[in-house]
Amino acid sequence: MAEKVWGGRFKEEIEERFHRFNASIEFDWRLYPYDIMGSISHCRALKRAGIINEEEERGIISGLNSIKEDLDQGKLKFDSRYEDIHTFIEKELIKRVGDAGEKLHTGRSRNDQVSLDLRLYVKDAIKRVIDKIKGFQKTIIQVAEKNIHVIMPGYTHLQRAQPVLLSHHLMAYYEMLKRDEGRFKNAYQRADVLPLGSAALAGTTFEIDRHFIAEELGFGNISRNSMDAVSDRDFVIESIFACSILMMHLSRLSEEIIIWATKEFSFIELPDSLSTGSSIMPQKKNPDLVELVRGKTGRVFGSLLSILSTMKGLPLTYNKDMQEDKEPLFDSFDTVIDSLEMMEMLLSGVRFNEKIMEESAGQGFLVATDLAEYLVTKGVPFRKAHELVGKVVLFAMEKGKELNQLELKELKGFSDSFDEDVLNWLDPKDSIKRRSITGGTAPDSVLQQIKQAKEELKI
Ligand code: ARG
């Protein structure tokens, strides 16, 4: 039989299948540490308000602590007869401490309680994600530093475009992750608001010191409107949004790794220990890890859309629809944390085929822009230089040569502005070195990026 916290006005028992449909304990059990933490602070506030005495306070707190301990150690099991984690803990408390336990829910509703628990969860989860982001950023920096000399083609439209340093390419992901961290910090601020005191929706009549509870639980702010406090799930949506963008970034990197590991590219070799084989094709080595990160990105996007859709038509204040916020939220953070760990492991184990990468940067006229810019230094307007070099490229293509294989006299056939010194412009290394502008791919600029990144991470 279902164990409820709301039986009084009902003549009939709850229908068993409906109870199961209605219940959230199967997934909200994860909130138990936060629920207990919140209840302890609420209990202290009740004592300060004169609603319970010192002995009751002591009893409730030690009861809650023993429940926490038993749950941590698996001595106490979650039980599907209870609708949700809040009901479970409250009923268990009453079992353990009797009458005092019956007083705990004074001035509180599950509506402000669940908002509190979720906020505490989100704040914790964000801290964990930021930690993982930083770990992955450190790995990116290490790999970038170790391979500072490696040259590769940079792409637009997945067509070879201009030579770049592999480190420059990798550090682009450092920047994305840095913005992700910022988005999580932002979402944190929105979660950092104490809803307790709002009770069901209109605010409690008891003199609960909200600032005291906020201080106890480490909240930066208290909510200013009780109706908003119990019906707001923006902080859930924002944090899943931050998860989504982060996943989108990881997915783009995954895609690149998948492409680079193909025979066609052969830029990288994935570690055996982080790859899989085929059940039929003995030669296969598959990049499942990054494919899964790419695949799981879709599921986080799905979670974002699911909670947005759930919230869009809800009148104030609490509606049971909002119970649907937890699974997408937990799933998004679990996915992001796992994916960051996996990506970090993989990136530190990737072997780069420097030779092939560098050769690829030397094939496909990647220095054509440089050739046009050379002409600009000789006084040719850029648009004219572009047109002219286009013709040089066509000529080289027909001859089956790269630009640096053309002879000076062949170049002179296109323009008198070509001189001996043009030959210093057509090596991919020269092309890279010339891009020493802040944010460019020249080794000095990339080392500067790395230096700043290390300062940011205090390494
Ligand atoms: N399990 C519920 C949830 O997750 C808790 C809040 C229930 N409140 C209520 N008035 N039924 O949303």
Side-chain angles (χ1 to χ4, degrees):
M1 209 173 42
E3 295 276 351
K4 302 183 297 296
V5 278
W6 43 261
R9 62 99 62 221
F10 290 82
K11 286 192 192 153
E12 292 172 9
E13 243 324 297
I14 186 167
E15 213 280 336
E16 188 51 36
R17 276 165 308 168
F18 171 55
H19 167 70
R20 264 184 271 131
F21 183 69
N22 188 42
S24 52
I25 192 154
E26 294 289 334
F27 46 88
D28 68 14
W29 63 266
R30 291 177 59 159
L31 294 174
Y32 83 85
Y34 309 110
D35 199 73
I36 291 174
M37 199 191 287
S39 287
I40 291 176
S41 295
H42 179 66
C43 163
R44 292 204 173 112
L46 289 177
K47 156 75 185 34
R48 289 163 69 98
I51 296 159
I52 56 173
N53 63 34
E54 212 178 307
E55 200 189 321
E56 290 168 324
E57 181 193 34
R58 231 181 298 119
I60 294 174
I61 294 178
S62 80
L64 287 168
N65 280 331
S66 72
I67 294 173
K68 164 91 169 46
E69 234 177 82
D70 290 353
L71 286 172
D72 284 348
Q73 294 169 8
K75 284 193 202 145
L76 175 64
K77 298 261 184 278
F78 300 103
D79 185 334
S80 60
R81 282 178 303 149
Y82 299 84
E83 182 183 326
D84 53 27
I85 187 63
H86 326 292
T87 307
F88 176 74
I89 290 173
E90 190 182 325
K91 289 277 185 187
E92 182 63 29
L93 180 72
I94 295 168
K95 265 193 225 160
R96 293 189 184 200
V97 308
D99 284 354
E102 306 252 8
K103 294 189 176 177
L104 176 63
H105 210 55
T106 317
R108 183 175 78 169
S109 156
R110 279 184 295 162
N111 299 349
D112 54 351
Q113 191 178 355
V114 73
S115 164
L116 173 78
D117 294 4
L118 267 191
R119 286 168 185 276
L120 288 168
Y121 164 84
V122 164
K123 287 173 62 178
D124 244 19
I126 288 178
K127 284 189 204 142
R128 273 186 291 138
V129 170
I130 290 180
D131 245 32
K132 294 284 168 203
I133 290 178
K134 291 195 168 148
F136 187 35
Q137 284 178 315
K138 274 183 199 157
T139 302
I140 291 177
I141 293 173
Q142 276 163 11
V143 177
E145 254 186 335
K146 191 170 145 214
N147 295 283
I148 189 72
H149 56 282
V150 178
I151 289 173
M152 67 180 286
Y155 295 83
T156 64
H157 313 267
L158 202 54
Q159 304 284 329
R160 287 182 194 170
Q162 291 175 341
V164 292
L165 289 185
L166 165 65
S167 312
H168 194 48
H169 194 132
L170 292 175
M171 287 303 288
Y173 284 96
Y174 174 90
E175 296 296 325
M176 295 175 225
L177 290 163
K178 173 103 190 121
R179 291 194 296 278
D180 288 324
E181 182 198 351
R183 268 180 287 270
F184 278 108
K185 284 187 168 158
N186 244 306
Y188 184 95
Q189 281 175 25
R190 238 85 62 198
D192 194 20
V193 179
L194 177 88
L196 277 194
S198 306
L201 72 159
T204 174
T205 54
F206 296 101
E207 279 195 32
I208 283 173
D209 185 343
R210 305 187 63 207
H211 291 284
F212 164 78
I213 303 181
E215 176 93 27
E216 280 242 312
L217 293 173
F219 278 97
N221 301 286
I222 66 171
S223 56
R224 297 197 301 196
N225 180 305
S226 61
M227 295 181 78
D228 177 45
V230 293
S231 59
D232 163 33
R233 291 294 182 274
D234 295 6
F235 67 98
V236 172
I237 299 175
E238 273 189 85
S239 52
I240 303 183
F241 175 65
C243 289
S244 297
I245 301 199
L246 171 56
M247 287 304 292
M248 181 267 285
H249 291 148
L250 297 185
S251 185
R252 294 184 75 175
L253 179 57
S254 297
E255 173 67 14
E256 300 206 291
I257 291 175
I258 291 164
I259 296 173
W260 293 352
T262 58
K263 184 73 196 151
E264 286 72 11
F265 269 76
S266 298
F267 282 5
I268 57 174
E269 184 71 40
L270 299 177
D272 274 7
S273 60
L274 298 174
S275 307
T276 55
S278 155
S279 61
I280 176 169
M281 299 167 283
Q283 85 286 8
K284 290 297 292 290
K285 176 165 160 187
N286 295 327
D288 291 30
L289 188 156
V290 265
E291 287 174 315
L292 272 173
V293 171
R294 189 178 59 181
K296 284 173 189 290
T297 301
R299 116 191 217 160
V300 176
F301 291 3
S303 291
L304 176 61
L305 212 62
S306 108
I307 179 67
L308 277 170
S309 316
T310 298
M311 294 306 293
K312 80 179 259 293
L314 299 187
L316 300 189
T317 52
Y318 179 82
N319 302 268
K320 192 68 174 236
D321 314 45
M322 287 153 76
Q323 182 165 286
E324 290 293 307
D325 58 1
K326 282 160 211 68
E327 288 158 291
L329 178 68
F330 297 155
D331 192 73
S332 298
F333 274 109
D334 291 347
T335 305
V336 158
I337 287 170
D338 278 356
S339 302
L340 280 167
E341 272 177 13
M342 288 295 128
M343 292 301 280
E344 183 181 345
M345 245 159 66
L346 187 79
L347 186 65
S348 39
V350 164
R351 209 174 48 71
F352 293 94
N353 296 331
E354 295 173 28
K355 211 166 141 269
I356 294 180
M357 292 175 109
E358 186 164 345
E359 275 165 16
S360 306
Q363 291 160 10
F365 316 105
L366 284 83
V367 290
T369 315
D370 298 77
L371 195 56
E373 286 170 1
Y374 167 85
L375 288 173
V376 168
T377 66
K378 301 287 173 180
V380 182
F382 180 74
R383 195 41 68 213
K384 284 214 166 55
H386 183 287
E387 177 72 15
L388 209 139
V389 174
K391 296 211 162 76
V392 177
V393 168
L394 195 63
F395 172 81
M397 265 161 63
E398 279 160 5
K399 290 254 168 200
K401 289 183 176 183
E402 282 297 324
L403 294 176
N404 60 359
Q405 292 167 334
L406 293 175
E407 283 163 29
L408 185 57
K409 74 170 186 296
E410 288 174 313
L411 285 171
K412 276 203 176 290
F414 289 88
S415 165
D416 278 343
S417 305
F418 285 119
D419 245 323
E420 241 0 282
D421 56 347
V422 71
L423 303 170
N424 305 329
W425 282 66
L426 300 180
D427 190 85
K429 281 201 184 76
D430 297 324
S431 165
I432 286 174
K433 221 179 279 159
R434 231 171 277 124
R435 287 166 169 75
S436 59
I437 192 163
T438 302
T441 194
D444 284 349
S445 301
V446 177
L447 284 170
Q448 185 58 26
Q449 291 177 48
I450 292 177
K451 186 168 163 265
Q452 276 174 5
K454 282 172 127 176
E455 279 164 18
E456 280 165 8
L457 292 180
K458 301 186 179 65
I459 48 173

